[in-house]
Amino acid sequence: MIEFLFDYTTLRMIWWILLGVLLIGFAVTDGFDMGVGTLLPFVAKTDIERRVAINTVGPVWEGNQVWFILGGGAIFAAWPALYALSFSGLYLAMFLVLFALILRPVGFKYRSKRDSRRWRNNWDWALFIGGAVPALIFGVAVGNVLQGVPFHFTDDLRPIYEGNLFGLLNPLAIFCGLVSLAMLVMHGAAWLAFKADGVVGERAAAIGPKAALLAAILFALGGVFIFLGWFGGYEVTGPIVWDGPSNPLRKIAAANAGAWLHNFQNMPLLWLVPLCGVLLPLVAAAGFRARKAGLTFFASQLSIVCIIATVGLAMFPVILPSSTNPSHSLTVFDASSSRATLRNMLFATVIFLPLILLYTAWVYRVLWGKVSEKDVHDADHAY
């Protein structure tokens, strides 16, 4: 059993799953932070109302970003070729995301430093940008990945990226950005309905069903686009050597318009994942209208899990397809770190990931309960 666990193929599969877990963890936790920032101008009209919305995420947003750091670290250590291409080739898009994310801590910390309406309004719009822009750009990135990224390798495995920022902003990628934005607005509204007392929670509960319905419609429409072949698709056409050395030049792959459906066709049970990705936002919409805040937030979380998992399951074993030379695409079996690196990282993950989960659960348990205008007014430490 131990030998099987540390088999190179098994380690690669484990780290592919862990990468998905970390990305989903980031979307589920930091996703409602971004959703709250996006909704801030619409659910809160007065200064005290905006402070209520901000303080629902104020104690937890920094901890939620740990998942983003863990995801980036996992890509760097477990999938170095993926890190090199995505973080350097998509540098301008990443810069926009980081710029927007930097606005969040500055906005949180500086907003209440001056008792000036103009000052606070400016920082509120900074928080809006810090929520909406990353939510949109992350979806745009997924859309480009589904279509294929323009890169190839030289004979000495030096990656060459041939795209630009404007090429990333194509219609299908922007469509995926809208899916992501609607999904996280739904999630932010679910969080506010769950945590904010009074008019802020009520306004969020009124906006939430519209965002949830839009997320379900857009995600289902994305499935139609994939079925029609608009998003393209890539598959390995030659024999797969699962435990071979990490060299993306030693395989044969091709573009195939129906490739993103093959895994679902070969394993029909997998269709439950995208199906839940459509149905769960509708459950969340019903929860908003029924004022079942706990059910709504839970359904919102699960819908994010299913939507992101659908992308991973559709692409497997491809991680990053190449539109200029499909045979240079990165896959689970030819883009990972060495067996020793994956094994040693797994030891560290087994020790520290449960600690992170336990600490996170404890923090949310301590901070349980709704945030009201009275709580914000009476607390000296509130934002």
Side-chain angles (χ1 to χ4, degrees):
M1 178 63 183
I2 298 298
E3 292 181 0
F4 171 76
L5 184 62
F6 296 137
D7 175 76
Y8 202 7
T9 301
T10 305
L11 286 169
R12 283 170 163 164
M13 291 296 299
I14 289 173
W15 274 103
W16 175 74
I17 294 171
L18 283 175
L19 178 60
V21 169
L22 294 175
L23 294 178
I24 289 173
F26 169 64
V28 167
T29 56
D30 209 40
F32 66 74
D33 296 344
M34 291 185 279
V36 169
T38 305
L39 287 168
L40 189 60
F42 310 103
V43 299
K45 305 302 181 182
T46 65
D47 180 66
I48 190 66
E49 290 173 2
R50 293 185 177 183
R51 290 185 67 196
V52 168
I54 290 170
N55 278 277
T56 63
V57 298
V60 297
W61 69 269
E62 289 178 288
N64 292 341
Q65 288 197 153
V66 167
W67 294 97
F68 183 58
I69 298 169
L70 288 174
I75 294 174
F76 173 77
W79 311 98
L82 175 62
Y83 181 90
L85 280 164
S86 60
F87 280 73
S88 59
L90 309 180
Y91 178 79
L92 291 177
M94 291 291 180
F95 182 82
L96 285 176
V97 169
L98 291 177
F99 173 77
L101 290 178
I102 288 170
L103 287 177
R104 284 203 303 171
V106 179
F108 281 127
K109 301 299 183 182
Y110 280 87
R111 183 188 183 278
S112 296
K113 294 297 183 182
R114 290 178 59 187
D115 189 12
S116 164
R117 181 175 181 179
R118 182 177 179 181
W119 170 270
R120 294 187 176 187
N121 284 341
N122 288 338
W123 286 118
D124 289 339
W125 282 109
L127 291 174
F128 169 79
I129 294 172
V133 170
L136 180 69
I137 296 298
F138 284 135
V140 168
V142 172
N144 279 281
V145 169
L146 286 170
Q147 296 175 79
V149 178
F151 73 89
H152 67 276
F153 290 94
T154 62
D155 292 338
D156 58 353
L157 290 180
R158 184 167 61 91
I160 304 296
Y161 177 74
E162 299 175 344
N164 56 65
L165 178 61
F166 297 104
L168 296 176
L169 300 176
N170 59 79
L172 289 175
I174 293 174
F175 171 82
C176 288
L178 294 177
V179 175
S180 174
L181 184 60
M183 176 181 73
L184 296 185
V185 167
M186 169 192 69
H187 200 39
W191 174 257
L192 286 173
F194 183 69
K195 283 287 292 183
D197 195 18
V199 67
V200 174
E202 293 172 1
R203 289 179 183 144
I207 295 174
K210 301 179 181 65
L213 182 61
L214 183 61
I217 292 173
L218 291 177
F219 181 63
L221 193 58
V224 173
F225 291 164
I226 289 178
F227 180 78
L228 295 175
W230 291 6
F231 274 108
Y234 299 84
E235 62 179 343
V236 179
T237 56
I240 297 177
V241 183
W242 294 96
D243 59 350
S246 290
N247 186 339
L249 304 184
R250 301 179 64 179
K251 68 174 179 302
I252 301 174
N256 183 339
W260 294 152
L261 297 175
H262 285 177
N263 289 335
F264 298 102
Q265 293 166 348
N266 295 333
M267 297 183 64
L269 193 61
L270 294 180
W271 284 109
L272 290 174
V273 179
L275 179 62
C276 289
V278 175
L279 294 179
L280 284 169
L282 301 179
V283 173
F288 278 116
R289 297 196 178 280
R291 294 297 191 266
K292 301 291 185 182
L295 170 66
T296 303
F297 188 59
F298 185 63
S300 178
Q301 289 177 311
L302 289 182
S303 65
I304 291 175
V305 173
C306 292
I307 289 172
I308 296 177
T310 297
V311 177
L313 292 173
M315 293 181 59
F316 181 83
V318 178
I319 299 177
L320 187 67
S322 168
S323 59
T324 54
N325 191 334
S327 290
H328 289 197
S329 300
L330 303 181
T331 67
V332 171
F333 58 86
D334 64 14
S336 73
S337 293
S338 68
R339 178 175 176 269
T341 299
L342 298 181
R343 180 194 61 212
N344 295 338
M345 287 173 54
L346 184 60
F347 282 136
T349 302
V350 168
I351 295 172
F352 290 106
L353 187 57
L355 294 177
I356 294 173
L357 291 172
L358 288 172
Y359 175 74
T360 302
W362 177 78
V363 168
Y364 280 90
R365 178 66 183 88
V366 170
L367 299 172
W368 194 262
K370 287 184 175 289
V371 178
S372 66
E373 293 185 9
K374 183 179 184 302
D375 295 330
V376 173
H377 186 270
D378 294 343
D380 294 334
H381 59 275
Y383 287 116

